[in-house]
Every structure is written in C-alpha cells, then in structure tokens.
C-alpha cells in the first residue's frame, strides 16, 4: 500500500520531516541561549528608567564610573574631556571645557547607595578645585546622597553636588547645564531620605 501511494504522499512526508527538524533546531538554539532573545522593553515611567540606569551605574567600578561621567560630559557638548582620576589627581577626576567655554572640574565618588558623602570629602575637593585646578565650574558627582555638612560646604563654596537623584536625571538625558542651575537641590526631606534608606539598606 505504501509502495502504491508513495509517489503521491512523498512531498507531504518530506515537508513534515523538514518542519520537525526546524522546530527541533529552534528549540535547541533557544534553550542553549544561542538564539538572540527579544530585549525587554524599557520602562516608560521616568522614575523607573532612572532606577534602572542607577542600578547599571552601581555595577560599575570606580574607574568605569569616572569614564562614564566623562562620556556624559561629551554627550552634553563638553570639549577637551579628560579622565584624570588616580592617586595624584588632587580631587579632579574629570576635567573638560563646557560648551560656553568655562573650565569644568569634576570629583567622582562611586560609593555604595546606602552611604553618604562626608564633609571631609567635600573639604578636600574645595581645597583644590578653585586654586589648584583653576575651575570655573566645580561639580562633585556621587552615587549616593551627601551629608548635611557636605551640602552646606558645597553651597558656601559654589560647588554643585550631583547626588544620587540628580545623577539618575543626568544619566537618562538631563543636560549637565540644567543640573548646574539646580545647584544640588532635590535631595529631599527627611521622609524622602528615610524611604531611600529603607530601599537600599545600610551596610
């Protein structure tokens, strides 16, 4: 019976076999991660985007963070961007020229999210930013908030503290010039800081 019907059914048998082989190959590629998977859609909520971008920054090393800050400066139109961080940087991890020609000096601190930038770190930076590095604009960029004494020093000595909240904005597209106009505002009241500590914990 097979011999008599084979000339008629063989194309269908061949097609079914090819389909089975293709399905098996796709299954193997998918389960061995050899088949590229569709990227998860980026969240539309701005706060969710900032949280996702900050999680990526937290995973960087301190050297990578300095290079990332330099890349953000270039994105925002800065020229002559140089990563100078190291043992002898004297507080200047990134230097650049702003689009309007002013000299920009940035101190970068890649701290754990539950920490605070202490006033001692701010004192060291303000001691060199203006006199030694001859900055026109001094920025202290950190992956955590600033202590109250550090914020007070920054305000007194015209240093812009880019704390964690502002860093999230910068990383998701807000230009540096906009952050400079904010002057470090937005770190939040006591309730905000308490929610923030509950989110990240203390180590």
């Amino acid at each position: 019976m097979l011999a008599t019907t084979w000339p008629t059914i063989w194309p269908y048998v061949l097609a079914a076999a090819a389909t089975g082989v293709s399905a098996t190959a796709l299954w193997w590629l998918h389960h061995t991660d050899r088949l590229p998977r569709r990227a998860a859609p980026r969240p539309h909520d701005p706060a969710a985007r900032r949280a996702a971008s900050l999680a990526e920054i937290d995973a960087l090393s301190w050297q990578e963070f300095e290079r990332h800050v330099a890349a953000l400066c270039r994105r925002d139109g800065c020229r002559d961007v140089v990563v100078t961080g190291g043992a002898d940087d004297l507080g200047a991890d990134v230097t650049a020229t702003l689009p309007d020609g002013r000299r920009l000096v940035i101190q970068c601190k890649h701290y754990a999210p539950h920490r605070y930038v202490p006033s001692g770190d701010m004192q060291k930076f303000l001691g060199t930013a203006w006199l030694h590095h001859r900055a026109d604009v001094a920025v202290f960029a950190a992956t955590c908030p600033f202590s109250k004494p550090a914020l007070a020093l920054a305000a007194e000595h015209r240093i812009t503290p880019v704390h964690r909240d502002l860093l999230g904005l910068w990383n998701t597209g807000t230009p540096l010039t906009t952050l400079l106009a904010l002057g470090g505002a937005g770190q939040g009241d006591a309730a905000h800081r308490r929610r923030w500590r509950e989110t990240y914990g203390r180590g």
Side-chain angles (χ1 to χ4, degrees), residues 2 39-40 66 68 70 73 81 85 102 106 119-120 123 134-135 138 145 153 155 184:
L2 182 61
E66 291 176 359
H68 183 70
C73 292
V81 181
R102 290 179 295 170
I106 304 178
S119 61
Q123 291 173 29
R134 301 189 180 281
L153 279 172

Side-chain angles (χ1 to χ4, degrees), residues 35-120:
L35 184 68
R37 304 187 184 191
R38 182 178 299 175
R42 294 186 65 84
H44 296 291
D45 178 55
R49 286 201 302 273
R50 289 196 296 274
S53 73
L54 285 170
E56 294 171 353
I57 289 178
D58 289 338
L60 300 177
S61 67
W62 64 266
Q63 297 98 331
E64 291 169 333
F65 178 56
E66 291 176 359
R67 293 194 292 270
H68 183 70
V69 168
L72 293 177
C73 292
R74 295 188 186 96
R75 182 203 69 189
D76 292 344
C78 294
R79 308 184 307 276
D80 307 320
V81 181
V82 178
V83 178
T84 59
D88 300 320
D89 60 20
L90 293 177
D93 295 316
V94 178
T95 60
T97 302
L98 288 166
D100 61 9
R102 290 179 295 170
R103 177 170 171 76
L104 171 67
V105 176
I106 304 178
Q107 166 76 83
C108 302
K109 288 297 182 184
H110 190 274
Y111 285 159
H114 64 265
R115 293 185 58 182
Y116 283 82
V117 174
S119 61

Side-chain angles (χ1 to χ4, degrees), residues 127-141:
T128 60
W130 307 116
L131 295 177
H132 182 78
H133 297 294
R134 301 189 180 281
D136 297 313
V137 176
V139 171
F140 198 126

Side-chain angles (χ1 to χ4, degrees), residues 5 25 34 41 43 56 63-64 96 99 107 109 113 130 143-144 164 172-173 178 188 192 201:
T5 58
R34 288 175 170 79
E56 294 171 353
Q63 297 98 331
E64 291 169 333
Q107 166 76 83
K109 288 297 182 184
W130 307 116
T143 54
C144 62
R164 187 174 180 85
T172 52
T178 300
H192 175 85

